[in-house]
Amino acid sequence: MAVCIAVIAKENYPLYIRSVPTQNELKFHYTVHTSLDVVEEKISAVGKSLGDQRELYLGLLYPTEDYKMFRKLHNSFTDVMCNPFHNPGDPIQSKAFDGIVSGMMVQTG
Amino acid sequence: MAQCVQSVQEFVQDSFVPMVAVLCSEEAERVTRKNNLNFAELLRPFCRLTSEGHIRDPNNQVQVVKNLRICVNNVVISPNTVSAALSPSQCRLLNEVVLSCQPQEGAVTNVITAGDYDLNFSATTPWFETYRENFLQSMPASDHEFLNHYLACLLVVSSTETVPVEHFLKLSQEQHRIQHSGEYTNPKWFIPNTLKYYVLLHDMSEGDEQRADAVYEDMKQRYGSQGCYLLKMNSRTFSAEEDEQIPDPWSQYLQRSNLHNQVSTVPKTSSTLTKFGHCFLPDGVSNSLENHPLQLETASSSGTLHTLSAVNADLKKGARDPETLAGGAGSHGACLTLNDHDHIRQFIQEFTFRGLLPHIEKNIRQLNDQLVSRKGLSRSLFTATKKWFGGGKVPEKSISEPKSTCGLLYPPEAPELQIRKMADLCFLVQHYELAYSCYHTAKKDFLSDQAMLYAAGALEMAAVSAFLQAGAPRPYPAHYMDTAIQTYRDVCKNMVLAERCALLSAEILKSQGKYSEAATLLIKMTSEDSDLRSALLLEQAAHCFINMRNPMVRKFAFHMILAGHRFSKAGQRRHALRCYCQAMQVYKERGWSLAEDHINFTIGRQSFTLRQPENAVIAFRQILTNDSRQTATQQGAFLREYLYVYKVTISLPQLPLPYIHSSATRVYFGHERRLAQGEKQAATHVSLDQEYDQDLAAMWCHLEEQLVAAANRGIVPVNFQTTQCCLNSQTDNLRHPLAVVEEPIIVEVTFRNPLKVSLSLSNLSLVWRFTADCASPSKEKTTEEFCFATLTHSVDFFLSTDQQTSDLMVVRGRQELKIRGPRLNQTKEDKMSVRHGPDLRLDPIITPPMPLMEVFFLQFPTALLCGEIRKAYVEFCNVSSVALCGLRVVSTHPDFFTFGSQATTPLSPTSAENCSAYKTLATAPEPGLVASEILVSAEDFSQSSGVMEIPIDGCTLQPGESTQLPLWLRGPDQEGVHEINFLFYYESTSKGNKISHRVLRHTVFICASRSLSVQASACRSSVPLHHSLDDKGDGGAMVFIDVENINTSEAGVREFHIVQVSSSSQHWRLHKCINPAKDKDCKLISRERAKLCFRATRCKPHQGISHRKIDVASSRTSSSSKKQGPTENRASAIANIVKKCNELDLNIIVIWKAYVVEDNKQLILEGQLHVALQTIGKEASSLTPREETQEMVLLKFKSEFPPIVVLPPAELSQLIKTNLHYPETYTHPFVQDSLCVVPVTLTLSNCSLAQVDVIIDLRHKSTSPESMEVHSSFTWVGQTQYKLQLKPQEVLCLTLRACFLQAGVYNLNTPRVFAKPTGQGAMCETSQQTSIPALIIINNA
């Protein structure tokens, strides 16, 4: 289970960010932001090695993460993007997406 | 890591230099003190050797020593043992050093572009370098390595001593005592027989030079020429060359070293030799440093800034002190000439090359020999013992030694240490190859002995020497360093050594471009025990991230934040602020609002404590104005801090809160209206409560235009400008509004609180600026001052947090009111860019006094019956000090009211007992129905527009004067609520003002309820003309009036009485009542209907407008009422001719009285209803018919052709009036004569004003079958068809004969008359009126 899930735009601003222990929100934001460096590194590495083969899942930032989680999240994200009323680049405010994320979050209480 | 001034090689070399101790006699100390320096300091700038030295290694190979630096220090004696950590005083020193080294303002900064980020920061970090240098210098000498042990000792004696040689002896003994007595663990000495170098100091200014030379010769004899030196100095006299500028090479060293020395002399000993500890530092420094507020850094803590500011003050003092220090020690080397400098330099060189290097060379050789001799034996011995005892055993000689956590400790002269000693010596003289092999061997030995501290030291140095080897035969063993660091830290718990190792390693890794490894290393070294170190290392790590080949911007930012956090913990606010600011560049405006807020908040706090309130304000403002995602409590905390900053710093700050919705600002000119004053009801005018309505504004503007046109003889002036009392975002704000002096201006400002916490505002006031402008019109002699005022658009108020806590934060601040006009969208440039027009809402021009009128209404009703006449009073009151004139009024409903003249109506309402609008004329009641006639002049009808001049006395109202006028109101004809708008106009009696006129608005709502419905219709009288009473004209018309009580309120109105019916017309007059009913008093109770019939006759032409009334009741009344003016239609079109013929243009006025019961009182209401009869045969009603619901019409996309002009049959049928004249009964003896012929006269009268062709057809309609039966017995004889032409209004008689066959009743009205106007091409004849049957009775005689 995840404690913080974030969807970040190409330009590095958060489209969606949510974390479960709300008192530590700031810390999570910092963590997510800093980990973008790793993502960037991985993206550039993928671009070099695989060429056109676009593998969306970049791998693990931390070894306990679950691949299924990513697929689920990505499917939901795709749904959000398919919404004709969604303006790409806007923060995500979809209820369905929120629900998926909540399901993936740690159940507290 | 950031870029450094030194290269890596330089840095590493300088980290480990030969150490030389200094012992001075008191006299020598005195001599050097003349220069404000001690001897060690005196030498310091010259300690780097510019020339190359040479040394022979054990293999007799010459080794070049380049760029050697030696370190000369005074002997500081301390008995305490080596600690693994830096002493508090040393920490303080480092802190101070970092604090004093700040980036310069406007220093060169790099711009690094990484991805989307443009980062602006300085690539160098001098504070880090200073820290590193000082840290390495302050390293305590340790037992496991010899690099910073003293190699030699300078013994300095002044030539002024009586017997210098004795002093030399004394110093030599002193040195020996320090080294060998075992009393002191510090300082540490490299080799038991330390090189002693004897220096005779000669002061040129006071001593005898020859004597000094003699003593020197003696010394040479005694110590050998290579072991002593005569240093001549102080050759400069003060008085002579005061102005000569000598470079001061000490300044760059001494600021630091002063601190250094001060710190290092803190553990004072009894030794008199070290009493140079001059305490320049006031207590403030140490106080401030001891009070470091480590608890401040938590952003979420509610630590108030009160304590911060207190500490801040201390820090400021502390930060100032180094400068005073530098200033106090400003004149170093004042007694030294450039020659003296050269002497010193020469001395150092001599000492190094003649004394120190040979000494080192000799020792290396010795140690080498020892090692070689020992090697064979010990090596085999060790391995043998290991084999025998199973390895891992501690060698027997160290059993007695104390064990520590880091493995065993060797005694100082242990053979294992000799190789290390030799390695260190080789390293110091830059023989890195030999040093490496020695370190490597030593490392193996130490490891096998489990002497971890020693092993780590050897590893570290092995790595360093491997790196420094020129040509690099082997790659840099980074893992040596890692192991060393790990061992130092984890096994030996010696953070100082670990840090040194990490610093070296990081620098080396940096030089090799291994930034990632360097960063990892540095981050690993951060720990809780030292905030300063952690901060500096984190900052360097951040620099590593940004310097990577693929710059890791976000990691850079994150580590900068961490560094800033640690800096602030360490009390380094300036550095903390800088770190946060640099990190901010990455987080700014990218949606990471929580992080951004956090950074802004920290920046704000740090800026504030650093006395940079402007920056603090900017940072705090960003937290509060952004749409914050913070929680309410967090926002509350932010706000409190923010307000505190404001409170402390700026006198009248610009507050960002609450948010002012500036475009919603409304400006109201004039007094707030009193709505009611006793019975008086003031004109509503404009109030701030009203919403702006575009349609209403247009309506008022239109009304004002009408007024202005009326006042200017029908022409609206070019510069006409609608009076706008209340300006808002929708009004036209392109011109400066005009305000009158001494009249208030009300500004309404809309505030919004974007926060989740409540704000309370108090003591709001509007700040304004007035600019006097003496633009006097030259044409007039009176120089009037036109005052030009502008508001400074700001609101001044107290802002406070709404908290229950006792410390209520109140800040007085201001906010600018800047109104931007609407966005322009006219030209292409406007459309391409975002441009805004001006908005001069808040820049009124103040004009000289203008009259101000107030209007009050008395007894003004709110509800009326339709058509009810009611009297009210209106009072005009000039409340200004200027006379006004030209009173006019315009209304949207001009027929609603009229002003009663003062002559005919009582002046005040109190004097009028009877409020009837009608005057009863007492005339003798005449029997029957009598009509009277009044001529009304045409002018009374010529109310062309709605503008009315108000008839007041003298046409002016003097200041303070008021006048009352009666006002007649007539209820609207339509039921429902009516909005009636009045616009009063007045102008100043003095002309040429900027404001030409003023207006006053009034809006009333009248609820009209149904009273009577009057429906009237007229038809042409069928009476032949010569029968009519009128002698002239073509006959009359019948007017039928249906009056119905349609009042629905059962309770209110009991009954209506029709009092009088009048007519008003230019052509017609009501003649006579021919009502069949005899009830004279026409009463109508609810839903009752009465029918009244009148005959109307045409008046003589040019008779004027007749105004006739016919009494229904016995009393006569006269009334005045308005009618629309005469219409003259001279039209040639056929349609018009035809219409003309049917035109009636008769207005019927029904005057009624209603008996109303209200509050058990009977009231009589009076009123009148008007019906305009336009055409004959058409019914007209006092009620305009209800609008039918608009039906859905199919959309047509073709343009419709105008309909072909076809004369409507209904109108044509009225062209000709036909009358049949015949005897009513006719007796004929059918027995005698079976044919009965009756003469019938057909009178044709042309009603129209045109020639009409008439065809008369007497034949029965053969087509209709039923007519055959009816008329079978009756036929017209003689000519049965006539074609005639009738001149306008001609009357023609035709004699016809009807033939009857038997007795009976016959309808003679069978002739069909077709008429058409002459000249009409197509025959569009229409049968004329045939409806009424004309019956004849034929009797049989």
Side-chain angles (χ1 to χ4, degrees):
Chain A
M1 284 297 155
V3 286
C4 178
I5 286 178
V7 179
I8 312 292
K10 205 166 72 218
E11 293 80 15
N12 274 318
Y13 60 88
L15 291 172
Y16 184 92
I17 186 157
R18 186 152 160 226
S19 53
V20 165
T22 40
Q23 67 272 19
N24 258 345
E25 227 177 332
L26 178 64
K27 186 189 128 197
F28 283 124
H29 284 210
Y30 273 128
T31 312
V32 167
H33 182 257
T34 307
S35 64
L36 292 180
D37 274 330
V38 182
V39 174
E40 193 176 280
E41 200 173 58
K42 292 207 173 194
I43 287 171
S44 56
V46 165
K48 256 177 249 164
S49 59
L50 290 172
D52 281 336
Q53 176 80 35
R54 297 301 294 271
E55 170 57 50
L56 293 167
Y57 184 57
L58 291 172
L60 305 171
L61 282 175
Y62 196 71
T64 52
E65 273 191 62
D66 192 359
Y67 183 39
K68 286 222 171 110
M69 186 184 280
F70 172 77
R71 187 188 291 169
K72 211 164 145 193
L73 185 73
H74 187 260
N75 285 345
S76 183
F77 176 70
T78 318
D79 289 347
V80 172
M81 288 299 140
C82 289
N83 179 1
F85 298 105
H86 179 79
N87 193 6
D90 284 357
I92 296 172
Q93 280 160 338
S94 151
K95 264 186 205 155
F97 190 78
D98 221 33
I100 295 275
V101 168
S102 302
M104 288 157 65
M105 291 281 199
V106 174
Q107 311 296 316
T108 51
Chain B
M1 282 176 93
Q3 293 164 19
C4 293
V5 179
Q6 288 175 302
S7 73
V8 204
Q9 276 80 11
E10 274 172 4
F11 161 66
V12 179
Q13 262 180 34
D14 284 357
S15 304
F16 305 103
V17 291
M19 301 285 281
V20 177
V22 173
L23 279 179
C24 266
S25 73
E26 276 177 56
E27 194 59 28
E29 184 69 30
R30 190 186 60 79
V31 170
T32 54
R33 183 93 357 249
K34 279 186 181 173
N35 293 306
N36 212 358
L37 298 161
N38 64 44
F39 189 73
E41 287 167 351
L42 182 73
L43 300 186
R44 196 155 292 154
F46 311 101
C47 277
R48 188 175 291 282
L49 297 171
T50 44
S51 51
E52 289 182 358
H54 298 278
I55 196 166
R56 283 180 188 276
D57 68 356
N59 302 328
N60 240 352
Q61 262 160 11
V62 175
Q63 185 78 25
V64 180
V65 182
K66 272 186 281 188
N67 204 18
L68 184 71
R69 192 171 74 92
I70 60 169
C71 181
V72 184
N73 276 331
N74 277 7
V75 173
V76 179
I77 311 167
S78 71
N80 49 353
T81 51
V82 185
S83 63
L86 293 177
S87 66
S89 56
Q90 281 171 320
C91 291
R92 236 162 29 210
L93 163 80
L94 290 174
N95 221 325
E96 197 62 31
V97 159
V98 174
L99 192 65
S100 60
C101 186
Q102 298 291 344
Q104 288 94 14
E105 294 290 324
V108 185
T109 55
N110 297 26
V111 177
I112 287 191
T113 306
D116 305 330
Y117 299 94
D118 288 327
L119 303 178
N120 200 347
F121 64 95
S122 100
T124 57
T125 49
W127 50 93
F128 173 67
E129 286 170 63
T130 332
Y131 167 84
R132 196 166 60 180
E133 196 182 327
N134 278 281
F135 170 77
L136 292 172
Q137 275 177 18
S138 62
M139 284 284 295
S142 150
D143 278 331
H144 79 287
E145 59 183 12
F146 304 95
L147 289 163
N148 51 359
H149 291 190
Y150 287 114
L151 263 170
C153 186
L154 296 176
L155 306 175
V156 187
V157 167
S158 167
S159 61
T160 48
E161 306 273 2
T162 45
V163 192
V165 181
E166 252 177 51
H167 277 273
F168 278 126
L169 214 60
K170 228 197 273 176
L171 286 177
S172 174
Q173 280 162 3
E174 174 79 19
Q175 194 274 330
H176 193 265
R177 192 179 61 84
I178 292 170
Q179 186 174 4
H180 296 289
S181 69
E183 274 177 60
Y184 314 106
T185 52
N186 266 340
K188 292 187 188 299
W189 304 90
F190 209 109
I191 308 165
N193 56 337
T194 306
L195 172 70
K196 288 176 192 141
Y197 198 79
Y198 302 88
V199 180
L200 185 66
L201 204 60
H202 176 67
D203 192 336
M204 299 290 276
S205 58
E206 50 184 282
D208 180 3
E209 197 169 355
Q210 282 171 1
R211 180 167 171 266
D213 286 337
V215 174
Y216 179 57
E217 286 303 318
D218 185 32
M219 282 165 65
K220 271 199 233 175
Q221 297 289 319
R222 207 181 270 259
Y223 307 116
S225 62
Q226 295 187 352
C228 56
Y229 195 82
L230 171 65
L231 183 59
K232 294 176 183 173
M233 53 178 273
N234 287 4
S235 48
R236 179 172 162 195
T237 48
F238 266 112
S239 53
E241 311 132 274
E242 217 163 72
D243 52 341
E244 194 186 336
Q245 287 298 314
I246 300 286
D248 182 7
W250 290 274
S251 58
Q252 53 174 319
Y253 292 93
L254 282 181
Q255 189 188 321
R256 280 203 305 271
S257 64
N258 264 336
L259 285 164
H260 198 175
N261 290 336
Q262 193 261 340
V263 169
S264 56
T265 50
V266 168
K268 283 232 169 119
T269 62
S270 58
S271 168
T272 50
L273 296 172
T274 57
K275 65 184 200 98
F276 53 83
H278 46 281
C279 246
F280 278 116
L281 291 177
D283 292 337
V285 172
S286 50
N287 280 348
S288 72
L289 292 169
E290 273 153 20
N291 290 350
H292 274 330
L294 300 184
Q295 72 280 6
L296 296 175
E297 77 298 334
T298 43
S300 54
S301 83
S302 56
T304 58
L305 285 164
H306 305 264
T307 53
L308 275 180
S309 61
V311 170
N312 178 41
D314 281 352
L315 269 178
K316 284 300 253 190
K317 223 164 25 150
R320 220 173 42 239
D321 286 328
E323 287 126 53
T324 56
L325 267 178
S331 51
H332 298 295
C335 301
L336 300 176
T337 58
L338 285 176
N339 267 340
D340 288 340
H341 290 189
D342 285 341
H343 286 154
I344 296 169
R345 202 170 283 128
Q346 234 166 7
F347 157 64
I348 295 285
Q349 201 154 338
E350 189 75 7
F351 162 70
T352 310
F353 293 150
R354 296 284 193 78
L356 188 60
L357 286 182
H359 177 69
I360 291 173
E361 189 183 312
K362 191 178 81 193
N363 275 298
I364 289 175
R365 216 173 278 266
Q366 256 173 24
L367 284 167
N368 190 46
D369 291 347
Q370 272 181 34
L371 285 171
V372 168
S373 62
R374 204 167 58 96
K375 213 170 214 167
L377 175 72
S378 63
R379 189 66 50 191
S380 59
L381 184 73
F382 285 158
T383 47
T385 47
K386 263 178 203 158
K387 267 176 198 157
W388 294 337
F389 296 105
K393 286 280 184 196
V394 182
E396 63 270 36
K397 58 188 164 298
S398 60
I399 288 170
S400 58
E401 292 301 317
K403 296 268 278 182
S404 75
T405 47
C406 34
L408 86 171
L409 293 174
Y410 296 103
E413 297 306 319
E416 287 84 353
L417 288 181
Q418 299 310 310
I419 189 160
R420 162 84 207 210
K421 209 174 255 185
M422 177 176 154
D424 283 350
L425 279 176
C426 294
F427 187 89
L428 288 179
V429 294
Q430 304 178 359
H431 197 327
Y432 299 118
E433 201 177 334
L434 188 56
Y436 174 78
S437 62
C438 289
Y439 282 130
H440 200 259
T441 321
K443 175 204 82 176
K444 276 188 199 154
D445 286 356
F446 294 141
L447 273 177
S448 64
D449 285 353
Q450 292 293 306
M452 296 314 289
L453 178 64
Y454 296 87
L459 277 169
E460 178 188 358
M461 291 317 292
V464 172
S465 38
F467 171 73
L468 285 176
Q469 273 179 54
R474 53 182 67 82
Y476 166 68
H479 58 281
Y480 278 19
M481 277 295 194
D482 295 342
T483 320
I485 294 169
Q486 209 178 344
T487 313
Y488 279 140
R489 197 180 54 204
D490 301 340
V491 182
C492 310
K493 310 280 183 221
N494 192 330
M495 285 309 285
V496 180
L497 289 171
E499 186 182 350
R500 182 187 68 182
C501 194
L503 288 175
L504 289 170
S505 179
E507 189 64 37
I508 292 166
L509 286 171
K510 184 188 90 175
S511 73
Q512 294 173 332
K514 294 174 180 166
Y515 286 107
S516 166
E517 287 87 344
T520 320
L521 187 74
L522 290 169
I523 293 165
K524 263 195 212 159
M525 276 311 293
T526 59
S527 62
E528 284 306 311
D529 60 333
S530 168
D531 287 317
L532 180 67
R533 183 185 64 217
S534 305
L536 285 162
L537 296 188
L538 280 169
E539 193 187 3
Q540 291 306 312
H543 279 281
C544 285
F545 284 122
I546 201 71
N547 284 324
M548 285 167 74
R549 205 185 47 205
N550 292 318
M552 289 188 157
V553 186
R554 291 153 281 246
K555 279 197 165 180
F556 161 77
F558 183 61
H559 286 94
M560 270 297 178
I561 287 169
L562 293 179
H565 177 67
R566 297 307 286 266
F567 268 131
S568 78
K569 266 177 124 181
Q572 303 276 358
R573 301 186 186 293
R574 230 167 259 278
H575 286 296
L577 178 61
R578 185 181 40 74
C579 287
Y580 276 107
C581 286
Q582 284 178 4
M584 191 61 194
Q585 300 175 26
V586 176
Y587 285 96
K588 199 163 58 185
E589 287 160 18
R590 284 176 192 269
W592 298 91
S593 59
L594 275 185
E596 205 177 327
D597 285 354
H598 170 240
I599 297 169
N600 266 323
F601 179 67
T602 318
I603 289 177
R605 269 194 156 184
Q606 300 289 4
S607 307
F608 174 70
T609 51
L610 289 170
R611 295 285 162 91
Q612 300 173 351
E614 293 80 15
N615 294 346
V617 164
I618 291 166
F620 275 126
R621 178 175 294 185
Q622 259 160 7
I623 310 177
L624 293 177
T625 48
N626 286 347
D627 276 335
S628 174
R629 290 180 56 202
Q630 305 283 356
T631 56
T633 47
Q634 190 72 39
Q635 282 187 347
F638 285 166
L639 186 65
R640 255 200 319 281
E641 296 268 315
Y642 182 51
L643 292 180
Y644 182 74
V645 169
Y646 269 132
K647 196 176 183 177
V648 172
T649 56
I650 314 167
S651 56
L652 194 60
Q654 282 267 342
L655 295 179
L657 287 172
Y659 179 69
I660 290 189
H661 194 48
S662 57
S663 70
T665 304
R666 291 199 294 169
V667 186
Y668 181 83
F669 299 97
H671 295 275
E672 193 75 89
R673 295 275 152 180
R674 294 163 290 173
L675 280 181
Q677 199 180 47
E679 280 197 316
K680 295 174 177 179
Q681 191 188 352
T684 52
H685 200 48
V686 187
S687 80
L688 280 169
D689 305 332
Q690 294 166 351
E691 291 286 315
Y692 180 77
D693 185 340
Q694 196 79 47
D695 299 337
L696 270 182
M699 188 271 294
W700 287 117
C701 180
H702 178 68
L703 289 180
E704 195 177 339
E705 253 176 45
Q706 284 182 19
L707 278 173
V708 172
N712 290 294
R713 289 174 292 282
I715 305 144
V716 180
V718 189
N719 57 355
F720 168 72
Q721 189 179 343
T722 334
T723 311
Q724 289 174 320
C725 272
C726 182
L727 297 175
N728 58 23
S729 54
Q730 284 149 298
T731 51
D732 174 24
N733 302 324
L734 289 172
R735 278 175 295 215
H736 286 283
L738 299 170
V740 179
V741 71
E742 284 178 355
E743 285 182 22
I745 298 171
I746 299 167
V747 178
E748 185 193 73
V749 183
T750 313
F751 292 109
R752 187 173 70 86
N753 182 4
L755 299 185
K756 294 173 187 131
V757 285
S758 54
L759 301 168
S760 67
L761 308 178
S762 54
N763 288 0
L764 269 85
S765 61
L766 200 64
V767 183
W768 50 270
R769 191 177 56 234
F770 175 75
T771 319
D773 178 22
C774 292
S776 56
S778 55
K779 285 172 193 166
E780 289 178 45
K781 284 183 181 161
T782 53
T783 51
E784 276 175 303
E785 273 195 335
F786 283 90
C787 309
F788 187 82
T790 43
L791 291 168
T792 38
H793 321 155
S794 58
V795 182
D796 176 17
F797 57 92
F798 289 103
L799 180 66
S800 57
T801 51
D802 190 22
Q803 301 267 319
Q804 272 75 43
T805 48
S806 55
D807 55 335
L808 197 70
M809 210 58 95
V810 182
V811 163
R812 186 180 168 82
R814 52 183 268 171
Q815 262 190 298
E816 295 262 305
L817 265 178
K818 276 196 191 116
I819 303 185
R820 214 163 46 168
R823 195 180 155 184
L824 299 177
N825 202 16
Q826 297 296 317
T827 60
K828 194 185 174 206
E829 288 83 51
D830 290 344
K831 285 175 185 169
M832 302 282 277
S833 59
V834 181
R835 283 196 198 174
H836 291 269
D839 197 313
L840 303 173
R841 228 181 290 176
L842 290 170
D843 305 315
I845 295 171
I846 308 295
T847 65
M850 282 294 290
L852 185 67
M853 184 180 73
E854 283 191 19
V855 176
F856 298 100
F857 293 90
L858 286 89
Q859 300 178 353
F860 204 88
T862 55
L864 287 172
L865 291 171
C866 290
E868 183 185 340
I869 304 286
R870 185 78 73 88
K871 188 159 81 172
Y873 287 87
V874 61
E875 185 178 313
F876 300 100
C877 189
N878 185 356
V879 293
S880 69
S881 54
V882 182
L884 63 88
C885 64
L887 258 171
R888 283 178 181 82
V889 69
V890 72
S891 171
T892 47
H893 294 66
D895 52 348
F896 173 67
F897 70 99
T898 185
F899 288 100
S901 67
Q902 280 154 323
T904 55
T905 38
L907 262 176
S908 68
T910 45
S911 64
E913 292 109 50
N914 182 13
C915 280
S916 172
Y918 306 101
K919 194 156 63 177
T920 305
L921 301 172
T923 42
E926 281 179 45
L929 306 155
V930 179
S932 71
E933 200 170 302
I934 289 174
L935 286 182
V936 181
S937 64
E939 283 127 44
D940 284 5
F941 288 83
S942 62
Q943 199 81 51
S944 60
S945 74
V947 179
M948 232 186 282
E949 294 215 16
I950 297 170
I952 51 170
D953 282 336
C955 291
T956 52
L957 264 184
Q958 294 305 317
E961 202 183 350
S962 68
T963 183
Q964 236 173 24
L965 277 182
L967 185 70
W968 291 106
L969 307 174
R970 181 176 169 272
D973 287 324
Q974 200 108 36
E975 71 163 322
V977 178
H978 295 260
E979 183 186 331
I980 295 164
N981 298 305
F982 297 91
L983 191 66
F984 295 95
Y985 168 100
Y986 56 99
E987 45 195 50
S988 174
T989 44
S990 58
K991 299 287 170 201
N993 285 329
K994 218 158 195 162
I995 302 177
S996 62
H997 65 275
R998 305 193 80 175
V999 291
L1000 180 70
R1001 296 176 185 179
H1002 181 58
T1003 303
V1004 287
F1005 289 92
I1006 291 289
C1007 181
S1009 50
R1010 285 198 267 184
S1011 54
L1012 294 176
S1013 138
V1014 178
Q1015 282 180 320
S1017 62
C1019 65
R1020 220 173 268 286
S1021 155
S1022 55
V1023 179
L1025 286 174
H1026 52 270
H1027 285 249
S1028 78
L1029 289 167
D1030 224 335
D1031 47 347
K1032 174 80 180 90
D1034 60 339
M1038 303 296 293
V1039 176
F1040 305 98
I1041 303 174
D1042 276 337
V1043 185
E1044 188 184 359
N1045 181 353
I1046 51 166
N1047 190 283
T1048 46
S1049 64
E1050 292 88 10
V1053 185
R1054 237 182 39 209
E1055 59 184 21
F1056 283 94
H1057 288 236
I1058 311 291
V1059 179
Q1060 175 185 308
V1061 175
S1062 308
S1063 76
S1064 163
S1065 172
Q1066 262 180 317
H1067 310 291
W1068 294 81
R1069 60 181 172 192
L1070 280 191
H1071 195 70
K1072 197 174 173 183
C1073 183
I1074 47 170
N1075 220 18
K1078 287 298 167 192
D1079 51 337
K1080 288 176 182 172
D1081 204 12
C1082 189
K1083 276 186 205 164
L1084 290 172
I1085 58 168
S1086 186
R1087 298 210 166 264
E1088 215 173 2
R1089 179 194 276 259
K1091 196 170 187 100
L1092 302 167
C1093 304
F1094 296 94
R1095 194 157 78 203
T1097 49
R1098 227 178 244 284
C1099 323
K1100 294 186 190 89
H1102 313 297
Q1103 198 180 357
I1105 301 135
S1106 73
H1107 197 111
R1108 293 198 59 123
K1109 28 189 113 38
I1110 291 174
D1111 283 349
V1112 179
S1114 56
S1115 65
R1116 272 190 184 184
T1117 57
S1118 74
S1119 77
S1120 62
S1121 66
K1122 291 183 293 291
K1123 289 292 150 283
Q1124 60 264 48
T1127 49
E1128 199 64 33
N1129 249 346
R1130 198 150 293 283
S1132 56
I1134 312 296
N1136 279 345
I1137 294 164
V1138 173
K1139 220 155 86 188
K1140 196 87 191 164
C1141 150
N1142 292 325
E1143 203 169 70
L1144 196 61
D1145 189 22
L1146 175 68
N1147 288 302
I1148 307 289
I1149 302 158
V1150 178
I1151 299 175
W1152 46 263
K1153 273 186 183 172
Y1155 292 85
V1156 178
V1157 180
E1158 201 173 75
D1159 301 336
N1160 292 327
K1161 266 183 359 191
Q1162 181 163 316
L1163 289 176
I1164 300 174
L1165 303 179
E1166 291 172 320
Q1168 59 185 33
L1169 290 168
H1170 307 156
V1171 182
L1173 277 174
Q1174 297 293 340
T1175 47
I1176 287 175
K1178 239 187 183 175
E1179 196 169 64
S1181 171
S1182 66
L1183 298 172
T1184 45
R1186 283 281 160 98
E1187 277 174 39
E1188 284 145 31
T1189 48
Q1190 192 79 44
E1191 278 176 51
M1192 290 284 275
V1193 183
L1194 283 175
L1195 280 175
K1196 288 178 183 167
F1197 296 100
K1198 279 184 194 165
S1199 63
E1200 262 189 280
F1201 296 103
I1204 305 151
V1205 183
V1206 177
L1207 290 174
E1211 288 183 13
L1212 281 174
S1213 66
Q1214 302 290 329
L1215 278 175
I1216 303 292
K1217 199 158 83 172
T1218 55
N1219 277 30
L1220 286 169
H1221 293 276
Y1222 53 90
E1224 273 184 44
T1225 51
Y1226 194 83
T1227 311
H1228 180 76
F1230 281 101
V1231 185
Q1232 293 151 11
D1233 191 355
S1234 60
L1235 287 178
C1236 169
V1237 177
V1238 180
V1240 175
T1241 315
L1242 174 66
T1243 317
L1244 296 167
S1245 46
N1246 184 0
C1247 301
S1248 70
L1249 294 167
Q1251 279 203 345
V1252 176
D1253 291 335
V1254 182
I1255 298 169
I1256 302 157
D1257 190 1
L1258 296 179
R1259 283 175 305 176
H1260 295 295
K1261 276 181 231 159
S1262 53
T1263 47
S1264 69
E1266 89 265 43
S1267 63
M1268 294 287 282
E1269 294 166 34
V1270 175
H1271 304 291
S1272 57
S1273 56
F1274 148 70
T1275 182
W1276 294 100
V1277 292
Q1279 192 179 354
T1280 56
Q1281 191 174 21
Y1282 298 90
K1283 266 192 182 168
L1284 300 168
Q1285 196 169 52
L1286 287 178
K1287 292 187 184 70
Q1289 307 220 321
E1290 192 188 350
V1291 180
L1292 198 79
C1293 292
L1294 275 179
T1295 309
L1296 310 173
R1297 283 182 299 161
C1299 180
F1300 300 90
L1301 295 175
Q1302 52 187 314
V1305 181
Y1306 297 89
N1307 180 10
L1308 284 179
N1309 199 3
T1310 55
R1312 285 177 293 167
V1313 180
F1314 301 95
K1316 77 170 173 74
T1318 316
Q1320 175 94 351
M1323 278 301 275
C1324 50
E1325 294 158 342
T1326 322
S1327 68
Q1328 303 292 306
Q1329 44 181 179
T1330 55
S1331 51
I1332 310 156
L1335 297 178
I1336 186 169
I1337 304 166
I1338 306 293
N1339 290 326
N1340 196 354

